[in-house]
Amino acid sequence: APRRPPAAARRERRSADLERLRRTSPMTDAVLDEVRGRHIRCRDHWLIDYASCNYLGFDWDPEIAARIEPAVRAWGTHPSWSRLLGSPRLYPAIEERLAALLGAPDTLLLPTLTLIHTAVIPVLAGEGHVFVEATAHRTVYDGCTVARGQGATLRRFRGDRPGELDALLAAAPAGGTRLVCVDGVNSMTGNIPDLPALAAVCRERDATLYVDDAHGFGVIGERGPHEPSPYGLRGNGLVRHAGESYDGIVFCAGFSKAYSSLLAFLALPTALKNRLKTAAAPYLYSGPSPTASLATALAGLEVNDLRGDGLRADLYRRTVRVLDHLESLGIGTLNTDRLPIIEIPLADPADLDPVAAFLWEEGVYVTLAAYPLVPRDRVGFRVQVTALHSEEDIGRLNDVLTGLSARFPMRPKS
């Protein structure tokens, strides 16, 4: 038999753990038979869902759901054109309302963040230099590799070392474009980067800062004296939460997390928006989001104005209740900023299968953090808290975490 190329063999070894988990654990590749809010049924087994990223509970908000049928009657189930050909009036209505919420110069809606990264990062980079943060989401990195394939130079840096980024930008040849790509709220740790420091370096070095805030938009927002929780007000994302302007920043996020709608956006200058209408493939060629998603996104913006800060206050209290319980048990977590993404590494990565089986039997459904999705020293599981979880749900989770810590060695709190 022909020898496998070394790269293919490495990829096969890296994916072996994940493939084994897919085959052996009920917590992966599951088929769910029924959903009732945050309670889900797989065959005859009910679990509390802590894998959902629907942070505000908009996926079960009756006021938002009621907006779907009228929009579908008016526009059909799905617009049949690419956006360059034509957009239902729902699109500009959302873009205008979203720009006002963000305090951004303009916004552009496209179906998903993955499409945005793949199409927009290469346009912004050109044949210049791209610098991607080392822990940025895989879809951001994939967009950067597309840019590299089209002639850009790609380098990685550590986001907690702004001086490293400054040195890389200083060493880049003058005259070319410079694009720096980072995550906002980190999807694995739930932590917030030092955006002001990174933005200052980029402005000093004439670089554009591209921020993917998929897990921050809808959860954190601008600070104010009357904020009901440290998450801030209005859920308008990391740029406003950090007290920054959009000068030199292209901000993108999705409605698929907090807003529970299949839609994503960029906040950007109008001139760049118009450029992307003919330079970014999803605007030219892709089918748009379904009408139901447009309707729920618009309704979600309205509900956010009316009730969003109360939901975020509930979300904060429930998240802190879990984090405080973990601290009382001496269990370590990567979460330092008290956002509703709680990743819990195991003391022994080999325990992931039995830990997953224990959680499943106890009726707690989580996201497994397996290698190579995370480094081996961070193998464990992730709990995502939402405003739709009841106080009883949180109490049950804490009881199960207590039982888990008595049965398996957990990573101690540092």
Side-chain angles (χ1 to χ4, degrees):
R3 291 188 60 188
R4 293 178 182 270
R10 284 196 301 271
R11 284 194 298 270
E12 191 172 291
R13 286 196 301 271
R14 280 174 57 84
S15 64
D17 289 359
L18 194 58
E19 172 58 20
R20 186 189 70 254
L21 199 67
R22 187 193 69 78
R23 287 187 285 101
T24 61
S25 174
M27 204 82 78
T28 58
D29 205 18
V31 175
L32 305 177
D33 297 293
E34 189 175 354
V35 180
R36 297 179 185 173
R38 290 295 171 267
H39 291 221
I40 58 178
R41 179 173 64 84
C42 181
R43 296 183 296 276
D44 60 352
H45 189 57
W46 281 95
L47 306 102
I48 305 172
D49 178 12
Y50 288 100
S52 170
C53 291
N54 293 301
Y55 298 118
L56 299 181
F58 281 5
D59 51 327
W60 285 88
D61 189 295
E63 184 178 343
I64 294 173
R67 297 285 291 274
I68 294 173
E69 186 181 357
V72 169
R73 284 202 308 266
W75 297 101
T77 58
H78 189 255
S80 61
W81 326 282
S82 73
R83 286 210 63 194
L84 188 64
L85 287 177
S87 296
R89 177 60 58 185
L90 292 166
Y91 271 99
I94 297 169
E95 288 177 342
E96 291 163 14
R97 189 155 195 150
L98 181 58
L101 172 66
L102 298 171
D106 211 338
T107 61
L108 176 65
L109 295 172
L110 292 169
T112 70
L113 273 174
T114 300
L115 285 172
I116 286 175
H117 298 330
T118 303
V120 173
I121 289 175
V123 172
L124 298 178
E127 295 185 358
H129 297 265
V130 183
F131 305 87
V132 61
E133 205 280 322
T135 62
H137 196 277
R138 176 59 187 263
T139 57
V140 174
Y141 180 73
D142 286 348
C144 293
T145 62
V146 173
R148 181 175 61 189
Q150 295 180 9
T153 300
L154 179 59
R155 299 289 300 274
R156 300 182 94 161
F157 70 97
R158 285 280 300 273
D160 57 352
R161 300 173 185 171
E164 179 184 344
L165 174 62
D166 185 60
L168 288 170
L169 289 169
T177 57
R178 302 173 183 194
L179 181 67
V180 176
C181 299
V182 301
D183 279 352
V185 171
N186 187 279
S187 63
M188 303 299 285
T189 66
N191 295 329
I192 300 172
D194 189 347
L195 187 70
L198 295 171
V201 169
C202 290
R203 289 172 185 141
E204 177 68 24
R205 297 295 181 184
D206 194 28
T208 297
L209 181 59
Y210 180 94
V211 181
D212 170 7
D213 199 30
H215 291 266
F217 173 64
V219 176
I220 59 172
E222 61 193 67
R223 310 307 301 268
H226 304 297
E227 61 188 27
S229 81
Y231 293 169
L233 296 160
R234 305 183 71 200
N236 48 11
L238 177 60
V239 172
R240 296 300 301 274
H241 187 76
E244 275 293 332
S245 76
Y246 290 93
D247 179 32
I249 293 177
V250 172
F251 178 80
C252 59
F255 283 83
S256 63
K257 307 297 187 223
Y259 280 75
S260 309
S261 301
L262 179 65
L263 194 63
F265 68 87
L266 297 130
L268 69 184
T270 301
L272 178 57
K273 172 179 177 175
N274 289 331
R275 179 185 166 204
L276 291 176
K277 287 182 176 182
T278 55
Y283 198 92
L284 278 73
Y285 308 119
S286 294
S289 295
T291 302
S293 291
L294 301 175
T296 53
L298 186 56
L301 289 169
E302 296 170 4
V303 169
N304 179 65
D305 285 347
L306 294 172
R307 297 189 270 114
D309 286 337
L311 292 170
R312 282 179 281 273
D314 290 342
L315 179 61
Y316 173 74
R317 284 191 295 270
R318 286 166 189 154
T319 300
V320 167
R321 188 177 164 195
V322 177
L323 289 169
D324 286 350
H325 185 67
L326 288 169
E327 185 170 5
S328 74
L329 294 172
I331 296 175
T333 173
L334 302 179
N335 185 306
T336 59
D337 289 331
R338 314 216 108 186
L339 293 181
I341 304 169
I342 305 170
E343 186 170 345
I344 303 172
L346 301 176
D348 184 354
D351 283 338
L352 185 58
D353 267 315
V355 163
F358 175 85
L359 293 171
W360 179 271
E361 288 303 316
E362 293 295 320
V364 170
Y365 190 72
V366 298
T367 301
L368 299 183
Y371 180 84
L373 302 178
V374 298
R376 289 197 186 276
D377 63 353
R378 281 174 44 184
V379 166
F381 61 94
R382 188 164 67 252
V383 167
Q384 283 144 195
V385 181
T386 74
L388 198 59
H389 285 110
S390 68
E391 294 296 339
E392 292 77 15
D393 292 338
I394 300 298
R396 176 60 184 161
L397 171 65
N398 284 345
D399 289 344
V400 171
L401 291 173
T402 299
L404 183 73
S405 67
R407 186 165 177 172
F408 296 94
M410 307 299 292
R411 180 84 61 85
K413 184 166 97 68
S414 59

